[in-house]
Amino acid sequence: MEEEIETPRDPKPCGPLEEYRIPDYVLRPDAQQVLVDHAPQCPVLVFINSKSGGQLGSSLIKTYRELLNEAQVIDLSEEAPDKVLQRLYVNVERLKMEGDILAVQIWRTMRLIVAGGDGTASWLLGVVSDLKLSHPPPIATVPLGTGNNLPFSFGWGKKNPSTDQEAVKLFLGLVKHAKEIKIDSWHLILRMRAPKEGPCEPIAPLELPHSLHAFHRVSSGDSHDVEGYHTFRGGFWNYFSMGMDAEISYAFHTERKRNPDKFKNQLTNQGQYAKLGLKQGWFCASLSHPSSR
């Protein structure tokens, strides 16, 4: 089980932004160590998909960097979350060994914020799970995609957020006073019969949706390995679907990768979903598609 956090029903006013800042030297091992009078009450590490929500992702990055330390706001199109978290936790462990009390307090109280679609949020959840951290931080999700089912499930809403400073301050206040709850993780085995001729190479990780994390071929000594089959182990988060609606979601994912310029806002994206649904016979199964029938 991974930890998610749910919005409080009656949040208190947002405190000073120093309560959320993480000093440079905690984030980066090459930064000069400084003395800080008080540890931040709610240190946050912010991951934003600049390609989500049309121009909203880029605008949100700009606002967060104006209010917080720029180094604690990561553009996921420039750096993957696993590299960021590995660097941070290795550095924190070093500081803990040196007796740095501030680093210990940040390690204990840090929360993550991820802004993007459901795939982006699932990507970060998978990374945190795969790193097997001794004290994994809870994650707040900013709805910045098309469906935003994952943020909606935990009370963060479905609509894309405002990107001005007051809206970001309000959201940080919600994160500070949110309670932690659990989210289900699913693990599965994929097995396919080995072809008689030709190779059967696994799909490259970057070609998989981010919601499918940690997919790899099992070793020959694994109990799930079966002679004559190629077997892969992986996982995903919270919910899944099989059948026609899953086919539509995959078609949407593929089309957006091919033509990202056509998917610049939530309303347009939802229209594309509707078109794909009609083509697949969502309301009346197409006779030309036996699987749909």
Side-chain angles (χ1 to χ4, degrees):
M1 302 285 284
E2 277 301 303
E3 289 187 349
E4 251 280 5
I5 46 183
E6 183 181 45
T7 59
R9 295 182 182 273
D10 186 20
K12 299 177 182 178
C14 180
L17 293 187
E18 290 299 324
E19 296 184 9
Y20 308 100
R21 289 178 181 268
I22 300 177
D24 271 341
Y25 84 93
V26 176
L27 296 164
R28 303 198 313 262
D30 58 341
Q32 184 177 0
Q33 191 165 352
V34 296
L35 294 176
V36 180
D37 293 336
H38 303 284
Q41 293 185 17
C42 182
V44 294
L45 192 60
V46 185
F47 295 90
I48 301 176
N49 187 345
S50 60
K51 297 180 180 179
S52 293
Q55 300 300 317
L56 290 181
S58 298
S59 180
L60 205 57
I61 289 175
K62 181 176 180 294
T63 304
Y64 269 99
R65 286 179 174 172
E66 289 172 351
L67 296 173
L68 302 173
N69 181 353
E70 287 190 18
Q72 72 186 98
V73 183
I74 294 92
D75 184 347
L76 289 171
S77 68
E78 297 178 356
E79 194 167 17
D82 52 340
K83 294 182 179 180
V84 175
L85 290 173
Q86 285 173 343
R87 181 175 65 240
L88 170 64
Y89 275 86
V90 168
N91 193 43
V92 167
E93 285 300 320
R94 177 183 64 83
L95 293 170
K96 285 167 61 179
M97 294 291 291
E98 296 174 359
D100 192 308
I101 298 176
L102 176 64
V104 173
Q105 290 176 316
I106 288 176
W107 171 76
R108 287 175 177 170
T109 58
M110 185 176 69
R111 295 186 166 195
L112 306 185
I113 296 174
V114 56
D118 291 328
T120 303
S122 297
W123 182 18
L124 184 60
L125 283 165
V127 166
V128 171
S129 174
D130 297 339
L131 289 176
K132 294 179 171 54
L133 302 172
S134 58
H135 184 71
I139 301 169
T141 52
V142 180
L144 203 64
T146 301
N148 297 322
N149 295 311
L150 190 54
F152 181 75
S153 298
F154 291 93
W156 299 105
K158 263 185 173 290
K159 293 183 178 180
N160 290 343
S162 299
T163 60
D164 59 274
Q165 289 195 4
E166 289 306 313
V168 170
K169 288 179 182 179
L170 176 61
F171 186 83
L172 287 170
L174 293 174
V175 171
K176 178 182 176 182
H177 298 287
K179 68 177 182 179
E180 298 180 14
I181 57 177
K182 300 291 186 179
I183 182 173
D184 289 333
S185 61
W186 296 68
H187 297 262
L188 70 160
I189 297 295
L190 299 179
R191 184 176 292 124
M192 61 194 77
R193 191 181 298 276
K196 295 181 180 179
E197 297 180 0
C200 178
E201 296 300 325
I203 301 172
L206 292 179
E207 295 300 320
L208 285 169
H210 290 317
S211 56
L212 300 175
H213 68 94
F215 268 80
H216 59 273
R217 191 193 298 264
V218 302
S219 63
S220 57
D222 192 292
S223 60
H224 292 286
D225 185 50
V226 177
E227 186 177 354
Y229 289 84
H230 294 291
T231 306
F232 301 87
R233 184 193 300 274
F236 57 94
W237 297 93
N238 196 47
Y239 58 87
F240 75 102
S241 183
M242 301 174 68
M244 194 185 302
D245 52 336
E247 187 176 5
I248 294 167
S249 297
Y250 184 75
F252 176 85
H253 172 78
T254 303
E255 185 64 25
R256 183 164 57 177
K257 288 184 69 175
R258 289 175 180 169
N259 303 290
D261 293 340
K262 296 181 180 180
F263 299 83
K264 290 188 174 181
N265 63 70
Q266 189 179 41
L267 186 61
T268 300
N269 293 352
Q270 290 172 343
Q272 291 292 336
Y273 255 115
K275 289 180 182 178
L276 290 168
L278 292 171
K279 287 181 180 179
Q280 293 294 335
W282 182 257
F283 298 103
C284 181
S286 171
L287 295 177
S288 61
H289 291 76
S291 59
S292 298
R293 183 171 68 250

